[in-house]
Protein backbone atom coordinates (compact mmCIF):
# COMPACT_ATOMS: atom_id res chain seq x y z
CA UNK A 1 0.00 0.00 0.00
CA UNK A 2 1.24 3.44 -0.78
CA UNK A 3 1.44 5.76 2.20
CA UNK A 4 0.62 8.66 -0.09
CA UNK A 5 -3.00 7.81 -0.84
CA UNK A 6 -5.48 10.40 0.41
CA UNK A 7 -7.62 9.30 3.32
CA UNK A 8 -5.15 6.51 4.11
CA UNK A 9 -2.88 7.63 6.90
CA UNK A 10 -2.58 4.20 8.53
CA UNK A 11 0.93 3.27 7.32
CA UNK A 12 2.17 6.56 8.71
CA UNK A 13 1.89 5.49 12.33
CA UNK A 14 4.28 2.52 12.16
CA UNK A 15 6.37 4.61 9.77
CA UNK A 16 6.57 7.48 12.24
CA UNK A 17 7.29 5.12 15.13
CA UNK A 18 10.34 3.74 13.36
CA UNK A 19 11.35 7.03 11.73
CA UNK A 20 13.54 8.36 14.47
CA UNK A 21 14.45 5.25 16.39
CA UNK A 22 15.67 1.73 15.88
CA UNK A 23 12.58 0.30 17.57
CA UNK A 24 10.84 -2.66 15.95
CA UNK A 25 7.09 -2.35 15.61
CA UNK A 26 4.82 -5.41 15.70
CA UNK A 27 1.68 -4.84 13.64
CA UNK A 28 -1.13 -7.28 14.49
CA UNK A 29 -3.84 -7.60 11.85
CA UNK A 30 -6.71 -10.08 11.66
CA UNK A 31 -7.10 -9.75 7.88
CA UNK A 32 -4.76 -10.38 4.98
CA UNK A 33 -2.67 -8.20 2.69
CA UNK A 34 -4.05 -5.26 0.72
CA UNK A 35 -3.19 -6.38 -2.79
CA UNK A 36 -6.58 -6.34 -4.50
CA UNK A 37 -6.79 -3.64 -7.17
CA UNK A 38 -10.14 -2.26 -5.91
CA UNK A 39 -8.44 -1.31 -2.63
CA UNK A 40 -6.32 1.24 -4.48
CA UNK A 41 -9.00 2.70 -6.76
CA UNK A 42 -11.07 5.33 -4.92
CA UNK A 43 -14.29 4.80 -6.90
CA UNK A 44 -14.09 1.02 -6.50
CA UNK A 45 -14.32 0.87 -2.73
CA UNK A 46 -17.89 -0.41 -2.70
CA UNK A 47 -16.74 -3.52 -4.58
CA UNK A 48 -15.08 -4.56 -1.34
CA UNK A 49 -18.30 -4.48 0.63
CA UNK A 50 -19.42 -7.81 2.09
CA UNK A 51 -16.32 -9.60 0.83
CA UNK A 52 -13.67 -11.36 2.92
CA UNK A 53 -12.00 -7.91 3.22
CA UNK A 54 -14.97 -6.50 5.16
CA UNK A 55 -16.00 -7.27 8.76
CA UNK A 56 -19.52 -6.72 7.43
CA UNK A 57 -21.09 -5.50 10.66
CA UNK A 58 -24.73 -4.60 11.16
CA UNK A 59 -25.76 -2.05 13.77
CA UNK A 60 -28.43 -2.62 16.35
CA UNK A 61 -31.84 -1.29 15.22
CA UNK A 62 -31.64 2.52 15.06
CA UNK A 63 -34.40 4.39 16.86
CA UNK A 64 -34.08 7.39 14.52
CA UNK A 65 -34.43 5.12 11.46
CA UNK A 66 -37.69 3.48 12.40
CA UNK A 67 -35.62 0.81 14.15
CA UNK A 68 -33.91 -0.31 10.96
CA UNK A 69 -30.46 -1.87 11.45
CA UNK A 70 -27.72 -0.43 9.19
CA UNK A 71 -24.99 -2.19 7.26
CA UNK A 72 -21.65 -1.03 8.72
CA UNK A 73 -18.60 -1.84 6.59
CA UNK A 74 -15.19 -2.07 8.31
CA UNK A 75 -11.95 -3.04 6.56
CA UNK A 76 -10.40 -6.38 7.47
CA UNK A 77 -6.95 -6.27 5.92
CA UNK A 78 -3.74 -4.33 6.23
CA UNK A 79 -4.74 -0.71 6.45
CA UNK A 80 -8.08 -1.57 8.05
CA UNK A 81 -11.01 0.65 7.08
CA UNK A 82 -8.58 3.02 5.38
CA UNK A 83 -8.17 0.28 2.78
CA UNK A 84 -11.92 0.07 2.19
CA UNK A 85 -12.59 3.79 2.33
CA UNK A 86 -13.31 6.34 -0.40
CA UNK A 87 -9.94 8.11 -0.06
CA UNK A 88 -11.52 11.52 0.48
CA UNK A 89 -9.41 13.98 2.43
CA UNK A 90 -11.63 16.16 4.59
CA UNK A 91 -10.11 18.12 7.42
CA UNK A 92 -13.39 18.82 9.16
CA UNK A 93 -14.80 22.03 10.55
CA UNK A 94 -12.75 24.27 12.81
CA UNK A 95 -15.80 25.02 14.92
CA UNK A 96 -16.05 21.32 15.82
CA UNK A 97 -12.37 21.10 16.77
CA UNK A 98 -12.68 24.31 18.77
CA UNK A 99 -15.53 22.80 20.68
CA UNK A 100 -13.29 19.82 21.54
CA UNK A 101 -10.58 22.32 22.48
CA UNK A 102 -12.99 23.97 24.89
CA UNK A 103 -13.77 20.64 26.47
CA UNK A 104 -10.35 19.03 26.62
CA UNK A 105 -7.68 21.67 26.15
CA UNK A 106 -6.30 23.80 23.34
CA UNK A 107 -4.23 20.94 21.84
CA UNK A 108 -7.50 19.63 20.41
CA UNK A 109 -8.59 23.00 18.99
CA UNK A 110 -8.34 23.95 15.31
CA UNK A 111 -5.20 26.01 15.86
CA UNK A 112 -3.73 23.24 17.98
CA UNK A 113 -4.27 20.64 15.26
CA UNK A 114 -3.48 22.72 12.18
CA UNK A 115 0.30 22.03 12.34
CA UNK A 116 -0.46 18.30 12.24
CA UNK A 117 -2.71 18.65 9.19
CA UNK A 118 0.03 20.65 7.48
CA UNK A 119 2.67 18.13 8.45
CA UNK A 120 0.61 15.27 7.01
CA UNK A 121 -0.40 16.92 3.73
CA UNK A 122 1.20 17.32 0.36
CA UNK A 123 -1.58 19.15 -1.51
CA UNK A 124 -1.26 19.43 -5.27
CA UNK A 125 -1.78 23.06 -6.34
CA UNK A 126 -1.77 24.30 -2.76
CA UNK A 127 -2.87 27.94 -2.66
CA UNK A 128 -3.61 28.48 1.00
CA UNK A 129 -0.75 29.21 3.42
CA UNK A 130 -2.38 26.68 5.74
CA UNK A 131 -2.07 23.89 3.17
CA UNK A 132 0.61 21.29 3.79
CA UNK A 133 3.05 21.01 0.90
CA UNK A 134 5.66 18.47 1.82
CA UNK A 135 3.98 15.85 4.01
CA UNK A 136 3.76 12.14 3.24
CA UNK A 137 0.09 12.20 2.19
CA UNK A 138 -0.43 13.13 -1.45
CA UNK A 139 -3.74 14.98 -1.89
CA UNK A 140 -5.02 16.09 -5.25
CA UNK A 141 -8.31 17.43 -6.62
CA UNK A 142 -10.73 14.98 -8.20
CA UNK A 143 -9.62 14.24 -11.75
CA UNK A 144 -13.12 13.77 -13.13
CA UNK A 145 -15.47 15.65 -10.84
CA UNK A 146 -19.16 15.00 -11.28
CA UNK A 147 -20.68 17.98 -13.19
CA UNK A 148 -23.63 17.88 -10.79
CA UNK A 149 -21.29 18.99 -8.01
CA UNK A 150 -20.42 22.20 -9.86
CA UNK A 151 -24.10 22.79 -10.68
CA UNK A 152 -24.99 22.31 -7.01
CA UNK A 153 -22.31 24.78 -5.88
CA UNK A 154 -23.39 27.29 -8.53
CA UNK A 155 -26.95 27.02 -7.24
CA UNK A 156 -25.70 27.62 -3.70
CA UNK A 157 -23.83 30.74 -4.86
CA UNK A 158 -26.95 31.94 -6.67
CA UNK A 159 -28.79 31.68 -3.38
CA UNK A 160 -26.18 33.90 -1.75
CA UNK A 161 -24.12 31.24 0.08
CA UNK A 162 -20.35 31.51 0.18
CA UNK A 163 -18.53 28.70 -1.58
CA UNK A 164 -14.90 28.22 -0.58
CA UNK A 165 -12.28 26.12 -2.35
CA UNK A 166 -11.72 22.65 -0.87
CA UNK A 167 -9.54 22.47 2.26
CA UNK A 168 -9.47 26.27 2.32
CA UNK A 169 -8.53 27.68 5.67
CA UNK A 170 -11.76 29.68 5.80
CA UNK A 171 -13.98 26.80 4.73
CA UNK A 172 -14.17 25.49 8.24
CA UNK A 173 -15.26 28.87 9.50
CA UNK A 174 -18.28 29.23 7.25
CA UNK A 175 -21.21 30.59 9.12
CA UNK A 176 -24.78 30.03 8.25
CA UNK A 177 -27.25 32.85 7.93
CA UNK A 178 -27.84 33.02 11.65
CA UNK A 179 -24.17 33.38 12.48
CA UNK A 180 -23.84 29.74 13.55
CA UNK A 181 -21.72 27.04 11.98
CA UNK A 182 -24.13 25.22 9.68
CA UNK A 183 -23.08 21.79 10.93
CA UNK A 184 -23.95 22.60 14.51
CA UNK A 185 -27.44 23.93 14.08
CA UNK A 186 -29.42 20.69 14.21
CA UNK A 187 -27.75 19.72 17.49
CA UNK A 188 -28.11 23.19 18.91
CA UNK A 189 -31.81 22.97 18.32
CA UNK A 190 -31.83 20.10 20.76
CA UNK A 191 -30.31 22.52 23.25
CA UNK A 192 -27.17 20.49 23.96
CA UNK A 193 -24.48 22.79 22.59
CA UNK A 194 -23.93 26.40 23.59
CA UNK A 195 -24.26 29.18 21.04
CA UNK A 196 -21.41 29.51 18.56
CA UNK A 197 -18.84 32.18 19.05
CA UNK A 198 -19.01 35.02 16.49
C1 LIG B 1 -16.83 2.48 3.52
C2 LIG B 1 -16.00 3.52 4.24
C3 LIG B 1 -15.67 4.70 3.59
C4 LIG B 1 -14.90 5.67 4.26
N1 LIG B 1 -14.50 6.78 3.56
C5 LIG B 1 -13.62 7.64 4.15
C6 LIG B 1 -13.03 8.70 3.39
O1 LIG B 1 -13.26 8.83 2.19
N2 LIG B 1 -12.17 9.55 4.02
C7 LIG B 1 -11.85 9.38 5.35
O2 LIG B 1 -11.06 10.18 5.89
N3 LIG B 1 -12.39 8.37 6.09
C8 LIG B 1 -13.23 7.49 5.50
N4 LIG B 1 -13.71 6.42 6.22
C9 LIG B 1 -13.37 6.34 7.65
C10 LIG B 1 -11.94 5.85 7.90
O3 LIG B 1 -11.54 4.88 6.96
C11 LIG B 1 -11.90 5.28 9.32
O4 LIG B 1 -12.33 6.29 10.22
C12 LIG B 1 -10.51 4.85 9.74
O5 LIG B 1 -9.97 3.92 8.84
C13 LIG B 1 -10.58 4.23 11.15
O6 LIG B 1 -9.28 3.86 11.53
P1 LIG B 1 -9.03 2.94 12.78
O7 LIG B 1 -7.56 2.72 12.85
O8 LIG B 1 -9.74 3.51 13.96
O9 LIG B 1 -9.79 1.55 12.49
P2 LIG B 1 -9.63 0.58 11.26
O10 LIG B 1 -9.01 1.28 10.10
O11 LIG B 1 -10.96 -0.07 11.03
O12 LIG B 1 -8.55 -0.49 11.75
C14 LIG B 1 -8.83 -1.54 12.62
C15 LIG B 1 -7.97 -2.73 12.17
O13 LIG B 1 -7.92 -3.68 13.24
C16 LIG B 1 -8.12 -4.97 12.69
N5 LIG B 1 -8.68 -5.81 13.77
C17 LIG B 1 -9.92 -5.73 14.32
N6 LIG B 1 -10.06 -6.67 15.27
C18 LIG B 1 -8.87 -7.33 15.33
C19 LIG B 1 -8.37 -8.39 16.13
N7 LIG B 1 -9.13 -8.96 17.08
N8 LIG B 1 -7.08 -8.82 15.91
C20 LIG B 1 -6.30 -8.25 14.97
N9 LIG B 1 -6.72 -7.23 14.18
C21 LIG B 1 -7.98 -6.79 14.37
C22 LIG B 1 -9.08 -4.78 11.55
O14 LIG B 1 -9.05 -5.85 10.62
C23 LIG B 1 -8.55 -3.45 10.95
O15 LIG B 1 -7.52 -3.69 10.03
C24 LIG B 1 -14.49 5.45 5.60
C25 LIG B 1 -14.84 4.25 6.26
C26 LIG B 1 -15.57 3.29 5.59
C27 LIG B 1 -15.90 2.00 6.29
Amino acid sequence: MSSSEPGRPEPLSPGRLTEKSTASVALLEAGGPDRKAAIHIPAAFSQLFKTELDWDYTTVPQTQLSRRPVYWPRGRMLGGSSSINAMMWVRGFAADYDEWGNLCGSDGSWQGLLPYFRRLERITGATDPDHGRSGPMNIEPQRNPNPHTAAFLDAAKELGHTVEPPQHSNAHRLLADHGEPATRRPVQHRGRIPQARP
Side-chain angles (χ1 to χ4, degrees), residues 10-34:
E10 77 299 328
L12 301 178
S13 309
R16 285 259 157 86
L17 283 172
T18 53
E19 208 171 60
K20 289 183 179 155
S21 79
T22 53
S24 300
V25 178
L27 179 61
L28 301 179
E29 171 52 53
D34 61 336

Side-chain angles (χ1 to χ4, degrees), residues 29-30 49 55 73-77 80-82 84-88:
E29 171 52 53
F49 288 176
W55 287 91
R74 290 276 102 186
R76 183 178 186 158
M77 70 199 103
S81 299
S82 299
I84 203 175
N85 79 11
M87 295 195 221
M88 291 183 287

Side-chain angles (χ1 to χ4, degrees), residues 97-98 100-102 104-116:
Y97 292 107
D98 286 345
W100 294 346
N102 285 342
C104 63
S106 59
D107 285 357
S109 70
W110 173 254
Q111 282 305 324
L113 290 170
L114 193 53
Y116 297 99

